[in-house]
């Protein structure tokens, strides 16, 4: 019983449970959608899932900044602007700063929710009409899109409470709660499909449990705040805190936004010009990629609040040790998941379980690009614990390369041009840029650090991609 209790309190275990429950909506629901819905309805569903993947476009960068700020406050920091130069020490939590950060999050997240609604709504208006105009969806298709947009706005605002619980060390409570309502959403959606509820019924069965779960997240956040001595949950907006965090916000927001818009936007663009079956196949593959990456990043991502706290207190050796172990485990998980999904896709094709087939080479390149991106992202996130944010340069430069490479190769490669452009842009610019700053800031040994962390997982996926390419040519 004690062992089970420890597992339940593990941030990584709870986060894996949350991501697994969330991934059910992609990995398990996708074959059911493909088997139950028409190709047109399936294409719209995967388009909606793609839009859902972009709902955190603003919240991700804003949330990361606030999570670091809370970590700094818990590490005893007196300011949250720049922590590149710190002195080692055992500092007690700064509850006044903690409260001020929470108060500032209120008005900020209202703006995040409004911006999210405009973004997702605009992207829906741009990408969905091409499918809706083909007939067979009617008013239900339009209502389904509106429900997903409303869900995105709600999730963006409640991101304030999610970020608080994550940064304040309540990761198990937060993630087990998420696992509960995502599992409920999956079960309700399966029942809706089984009962023949139609596209609109399926969308409602999916979105209503998520909304109820977010309401419960607000409740547990307030309960946690009430149990924190010295914390003032009624603290108002602090313009000085926002001014200190603003450089990090706009730089990370610009970087994440540019990168997600071009990589995920490629799928939305393809939805406008491709055949429904081909669109469904590509969006299905891309919808597998993001949950897979989220699941694999758990060992590192759950350490970010602790890494920020150690940065504020100056405990550099412990910080590097934790980062190295977490990065290595994340990359191994990702490599194994890429290969596991490849086997599952092969099985679906071999046993003719779906009319929609994902080409093996397409998935291999997507998986290799995902692993390369994760290497660069973890180095960039490690460096970002200094609160010197360079995401706008890293992601911006990668985005420009992605667009150029995709445009040049689309006519020859077709849809394969998108993941190839992602892989090349990441390998040529994103990874080297992120590594340079991380290695300089923390004095990491080259190439010893990468030999212990990333070389073997990357080589494994590179070998798999080469084997698939050789087979396709033969």
């Amino acid at each position: 019983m004690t062992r089970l209790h420890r597992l339940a309190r593990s941030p990584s275990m709870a986060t894996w449970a949350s991501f697994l429950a969330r991934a059910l909506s992609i990995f398990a629901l996708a074959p059911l959608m493909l088997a139950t819905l028409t190709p047109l309805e399936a294409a719209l569903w995967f388009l909606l899932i793609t839009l859902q993947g972009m709902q955190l476009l603003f919240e991700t960068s804003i949330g990361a900044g606030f999570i670091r700020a809370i970590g700094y406050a818990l590490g005893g920091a007196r300011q949250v602007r720049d922590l590149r130069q710190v002195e080692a020490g055992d500092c007690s939590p700064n509850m006044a700063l903690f409260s001020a950060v929470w108060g500032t999050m209120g008005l900020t997240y209202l703006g995040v929710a409004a911006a999210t609604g405009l973004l997702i709504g605009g992207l829906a208006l741009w990408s969905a009409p091409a499918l809706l105009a083909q007939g067979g969806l009617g008013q239900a298709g339009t209502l389904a899109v509106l429900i997903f947009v409303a869900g995105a706005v709600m999730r963006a605002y409640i991101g304030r409470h999610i970020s608080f619980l994550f940064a304040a060390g309540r990761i198990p409570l937060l993630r087990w709660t998420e696992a509960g309502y995502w599992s409920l959403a999956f079960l309700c959606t399966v029942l809706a499909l089984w009962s023949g509820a139609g596209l609109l019924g399926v969308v409602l069965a999916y979105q209503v449990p998520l909304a109820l779960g977010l309401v419960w997240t607000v409740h547990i956040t307030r309960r946690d705040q009430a149990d924190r001595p010295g914390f003032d949950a009624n603290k108002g907006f602090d313009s000085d805190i926002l001014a200190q965090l603003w450089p990090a916000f706009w730089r990370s927001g610009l970087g994440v936004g540019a990168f997600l818009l071009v990589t995920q936007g490629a799928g939305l663009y393809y939805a406008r010009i491709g055949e429904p079956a081909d669109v469904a196949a590509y969006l299905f593959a891309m919808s597998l990629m993001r949950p897979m990456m989220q699941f694999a990043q758990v060992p590192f991502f759950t350490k970010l609040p602790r890494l920020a706290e150690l940065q504020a207190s100056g405990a550099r050796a412990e910080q590097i040790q934790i980062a190295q172990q977490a990065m290595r485990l994340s990359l191994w998980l990702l490599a194994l998941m890429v290969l596991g999904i490849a086997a599952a896709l092969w099985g679906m094709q071999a046993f003719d379980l779906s009319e929609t087939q994902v080409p093996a080479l397409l998935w291999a390149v997507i998986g290799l690009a995902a692993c390369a991106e994760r290497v660069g992202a973890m180095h960039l996130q490690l460096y970002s614990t200094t609160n010197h944010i360079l995401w706008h340069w890293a992601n911006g430069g990668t985005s420009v390369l992605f667009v150029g490479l995709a445009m040049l190769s689309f006519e020859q490669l077709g849809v394969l041009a998108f993941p190839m452009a992602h892989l090349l842009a990441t390998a040529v610019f994103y990874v080297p840029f992120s590594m340079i700053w991380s290695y300089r800031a923390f004095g990491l040994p080259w190439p010893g650090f990468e030999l212990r962390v990333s070389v073997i997982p990357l080589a494994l996926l590179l070998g798999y991609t080469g084997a698939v390419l050789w087979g396709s040519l033969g």
Side-chain angles (χ1 to χ4, degrees):
M1 195 58 136
T2 304
R3 181 175 297 178
L4 290 176
H5 185 62
R6 285 201 302 268
L7 287 175
R9 296 181 60 183
S10 166
S12 293
M13 188 61 63
T15 305
W16 276 325
S18 171
F19 285 167
L20 181 60
R22 191 176 311 181
L24 284 173
S25 301
I26 306 299
F27 292 95
L29 275 185
L32 296 176
M33 293 291 179
L34 293 171
T36 306
L37 302 179
T38 67
L40 185 59
E41 288 176 327
L44 181 61
W45 172 263
F46 288 120
L47 175 64
L48 294 175
I49 292 296
T50 301
L51 289 173
Q52 179 177 274
M54 301 182 72
Q55 70 183 16
L56 302 183
L57 185 63
F58 298 110
E59 198 279 330
T60 297
S61 55
I62 298 295
F66 279 122
I67 287 171
R68 286 193 301 271
I70 291 174
Y72 299 152
L74 293 176
R78 302 304 172 190
Q79 51 85 24
V80 294
R81 184 185 301 277
D82 191 333
L83 277 84
R84 279 177 284 182
Q85 301 296 327
V86 294
E87 296 181 1
D90 184 18
C91 300
S92 59
N94 185 342
M95 298 307 291
L97 181 60
F98 190 1
S99 302
V101 170
W102 168 254
T104 306
M105 292 170 76
L107 185 60
T108 305
Y109 270 88
L110 282 175
V112 169
T116 298
L118 291 173
L119 172 70
I120 302 300
L123 289 174
L125 287 174
W126 177 69
S127 59
L131 293 174
L132 295 175
Q134 295 188 38
L137 295 175
Q139 190 177 20
T142 302
L143 289 175
V145 173
L146 292 176
I147 291 170
F148 262 80
V149 173
V153 172
M154 183 178 184
R155 171 59 181 81
Y157 178 71
I158 305 302
R160 177 194 188 195
H161 303 79
I162 293 172
S163 295
F164 175 91
L165 291 171
F166 187 90
R170 302 307 303 271
I171 297 176
L173 174 64
L174 168 67
R175 297 312 188 195
W176 284 120
T177 299
E178 290 178 342
Y181 64 74
W182 276 102
S183 297
L184 181 60
F186 169 74
L187 292 174
C188 290
T189 307
V190 170
L191 289 174
L193 285 169
W194 176 75
S195 64
L199 180 64
L200 182 58
V202 168
V203 168
L204 285 171
Y206 180 82
Q207 287 288 343
V208 170
L210 300 184
L212 294 176
L214 292 174
V215 172
W216 182 253
T217 301
V218 175
H219 169 72
I220 61 177
T221 300
R222 291 175 177 172
R223 188 176 61 188
D224 178 81
Q225 292 172 343
D227 294 335
R228 290 185 178 273
F231 181 80
D232 183 6
N234 297 316
K235 186 76 172 179
F237 177 79
D238 190 325
S239 59
D240 183 58
I241 294 294
L242 184 60
Q244 292 183 48
L245 292 174
W246 180 249
F249 286 164
W250 78 259
R251 290 170 183 170
S252 58
L254 179 61
V256 171
F259 190 68
L260 280 181
L261 280 174
V262 297
T263 54
Q264 297 296 305
L268 300 179
Y269 169 75
Y270 193 56
R272 292 169 56 90
I273 63 173
E275 293 296 325
D278 295 334
V279 171
Y282 177 65
L283 292 182
F284 175 36
M286 290 302 294
S287 69
L288 294 175
M289 175 185 168
R290 288 298 162 185
M292 175 185 70
M293 292 181 69
Q294 290 174 345
F295 191 89
Q297 76 177 4
V298 168
F300 184 80
F301 191 70
T302 54
K303 299 298 188 296
L304 288 178
R306 178 60 177 162
L307 292 175
E309 185 177 342
L310 292 172
Q311 179 67 21
S313 62
R316 184 58 54 82
E318 183 180 357
Q319 185 184 28
I320 294 174
Q321 181 182 16
I322 290 174
Q324 177 179 290
Q325 293 173 347
M327 291 168 75
R328 179 171 58 244
L329 181 55
S330 290
L331 290 172
W332 269 109
L333 278 173
L334 182 56
L336 294 176
M337 289 182 70
V338 170
L339 297 177
I341 293 173
L345 293 173
W346 175 85
M348 289 178 63
Q349 182 175 1
F351 294 100
D352 197 24
L353 298 179
S354 171
E355 295 181 3
T356 302
Q357 305 294 342
V358 177
L361 183 58
L362 178 67
W363 176 251
V365 178
I366 287 175
L368 184 57
C371 196
E373 179 189 328
R374 187 98 303 272
V375 173
M378 288 190 293
H379 274 286
L380 193 60
Q381 288 168 334
L382 176 60
Y383 179 74
S384 296
T385 59
T386 66
N387 216 34
H388 181 220
I389 304 302
L390 297 170
W391 296 12
H392 56 314
W393 291 115
N395 290 326
T398 308
S399 300
V400 171
L401 279 176
F402 175 91
V403 171
L405 291 169
M407 291 177 62
L408 289 173
S409 59
F410 184 76
E411 185 175 348
Q412 290 76 28
L413 298 179
V415 69
L416 186 62
F418 298 138
M420 280 297 299
H422 182 191
L423 173 61
L424 292 175
T426 300
V428 170
F429 183 78
Y430 186 68
V431 172
F433 180 92
S434 302
M435 281 185 174
I436 288 172
W437 287 93
S438 175
Y439 271 73
R440 285 178 177 174
F442 298 99
L444 305 178
W446 171 268
F449 188 84
E450 293 308 318
L451 288 173
R452 291 188 293 270
V453 169
S454 67
V455 168
I456 298 178
L458 280 172
L460 183 64
L461 291 185
L462 185 61
Y464 164 68
T465 304
V468 171
L469 179 60
W470 179 267
S472 65
L473 294 175

